[in-house]
Amino acid sequence: MATRIIEYGGDDRNDGLPVIPQSTVVQTPITATGTSQQSAVFNVATNLICISTDEAVHVHRGTSPTATTSHFEVPAQTFAFFSAKAGERVAILLGA
């Protein structure tokens, strides 16, 4: 089972519309367990992240986040996009 965090930067259009930016900054695999796991700190160019997962995971974003079952759940075999800032991280926790 795998969960990937894909960081995106810069939107070439600059028109304020919510579109997926063109450049991928980095892709980071992370293993979801029964304990909250933090990602690496986001890159300075990151402004959007995609959580792509084979298993249900709870997600929480912040400077030192801890994911719990009360946080947003990304269902298995799906993905979700979140805004992000440099210096933040995402924490994931294996869902039900």
Side-chain angles (χ1 to χ4, degrees):
M1 301 304 237
T3 299
R4 288 163 298 285
I5 302 166
I6 305 167
E7 298 180 41
Y8 294 97
D11 177 0
D12 292 345
R13 294 168 12 132
N14 260 346
D15 60 7
L17 295 175
V19 298
I20 298 172
Q22 296 181 354
S23 57
T24 300
V25 175
V26 66
Q27 293 188 42
T28 308
I30 188 169
T31 302
T33 67
T35 304
S36 181
Q37 305 291 318
Q38 283 189 0
S39 70
V41 174
F42 297 145
N43 187 294
V44 67
T46 300
N47 59 22
L48 182 73
I49 60 168
C50 175
I51 306 291
S52 170
T53 185
D54 295 338
E55 55 204 350
V57 294
H58 294 278
V59 179
H60 186 54
R61 190 193 80 234
T63 54
S64 185
T66 300
T68 68
T69 56
S70 65
H71 290 116
F72 182 81
E73 184 175 42
V74 179
Q77 305 298 326
T78 62
F79 57 89
F81 287 92
F82 301 91
S83 63
K85 297 177 186 169
E88 290 183 327
R89 302 170 185 258
V90 67
I92 64 168
L93 175 69
L94 192 59

